[in-house]
Amino acid sequence: MTRPPLEGRKVLVTGASKGIGAEIARSVHRDGAAVVIHYGSDAAAASALAAELGERAHAVGADLSDPTGAEALWSQAVAALGGIDTLVCNAGAWIDSPLDDAERWRSGWAANLQLNLTSAADLCRLALLDFVRGSGSGPSDRAGGGTIITITSRSAHRGDDAEHLAYGAAKAGLLSLTKGIARGYGHLGVLAYAIAPGWVDTGLAAGAISPDVLAGLPLREVTPPEDVAELVAFLASRRSRHLTGATLDVTGADYVR
């Protein structure tokens, strides 16, 4: 019998109670991984997903908009699985930062940077410390290795709209962070990849996809979250180690570099 490609791996997926994150959790679990399903506020959805997946799935709550949230999440995830060898930074929100409202401008920048960048950076730091020490207890190609996959955005390349400048900047920071991890820690067995989706059929995009937007998409449809999830499952398998440092666009040719 063929061994599942992620058998023995221990995966933390942030923002996994719904949307892209939920599909990622389903995909990696299907391929044999144990998975921590992180949620921020929707405990019911995360618990339902954990029950759906059954064995090897655990729901863990933490507020990543709080500067202490990442450390709390990491410690709970490690305790739940006995170690983490694969981190998927998916949690995020499309928070506006309007130019003409100074208070909302400042709060928008603070919220975007914390949730879309700093919390992920904090989790990456904790993961790297464990990976380098060799305490990420899943299989790896060399002692102390691990995998980090970040979900950025096409906004990281092209910027976002006038109301969401902070979001685009935060996602660009996340993209640069991922590249730096790949370059700086590859010799220690750490692989890092970024995925940059365009429009995805999730709650984040609900209400923003008008008929005009849809008509302008080359495939005439938004990307299903499963397309992103399948790519994460492949990258988590470490079957293409020399792809580390790459950014993989999932936009249905809506944005082509």
Side-chain angles (χ1 to χ4, degrees):
M1 181 179 293
T2 303
R3 179 182 177 183
L6 297 180
E7 183 178 23
R9 298 205 183 274
K10 301 177 179 183
V11 183
L12 166 59
V13 184
T14 69
S17 63
K18 59 178 70 71
I20 295 172
E23 294 304 325
I24 292 171
R26 288 187 177 99
S27 293
V28 298
H29 186 272
R30 176 204 64 207
D31 285 357
V35 59
V36 167
I37 300 163
H38 161 256
Y39 65 90
S41 58
D42 198 342
S47 296
L49 178 56
E52 171 195 323
L53 299 180
E55 188 180 0
R56 297 182 283 105
H58 305 264
V60 172
D63 181 6
L64 295 181
S65 68
D66 185 319
T68 66
E71 189 165 352
L73 172 57
W74 186 257
S75 63
Q76 291 179 80
V78 168
L81 298 186
I84 299 293
D85 57 55
T86 305
L87 169 63
V88 182
C89 293
N90 167 74
W94 196 47
I95 304 165
D96 66 355
S97 52
L99 197 70
D100 57 359
D101 185 324
E103 183 175 349
R104 288 177 62 196
W105 169 263
R106 287 190 292 269
S107 65
W109 274 89
N112 272 289
L113 290 174
Q114 172 57 38
L115 183 58
N116 294 316
L117 177 56
T118 304
S119 66
D122 287 344
L123 284 167
C124 288
R125 172 182 174 270
L126 294 166
L128 288 167
L129 289 171
D130 277 4
F131 294 168
V132 170
R133 283 194 297 257
S135 59
S137 57
S140 63
D141 296 307
R142 62 185 73 185
T147 304
I148 293 173
I149 302 166
T150 61
I151 309 301
T152 63
S153 169
R154 66 178 182 177
S155 299
H157 305 302
R158 70 172 201 170
D160 212 291
D161 63 38
E163 295 295 303
H164 295 85
L165 298 178
Y167 175 83
K171 287 296 190 179
L174 183 59
L175 178 58
S176 181
L177 170 67
T178 310
K179 292 178 180 180
I181 290 170
R183 289 173 54 80
Y185 292 90
H187 69 292
L188 297 173
V190 177
L191 306 181
Y193 312 93
I195 298 175
W199 291 112
V200 180
D201 189 12
T202 68
L204 188 66
I209 305 172
S210 67
D212 287 344
V213 169
L214 196 63
L217 298 178
L219 297 182
R220 302 298 188 267
E221 62 184 25
V222 295
T223 299
E226 293 85 353
D227 280 22
V228 179
E230 290 300 324
L231 183 54
V232 171
F234 170 73
L235 296 174
S237 75
R238 298 172 68 96
R239 283 179 284 172
S240 187
R241 291 174 55 248
H242 283 256
L243 196 61
T244 189
T247 305
L248 304 171
D249 298 330
V250 185
T251 69
D254 179 45
Y255 181 70
V256 181
R257 293 184 293 139

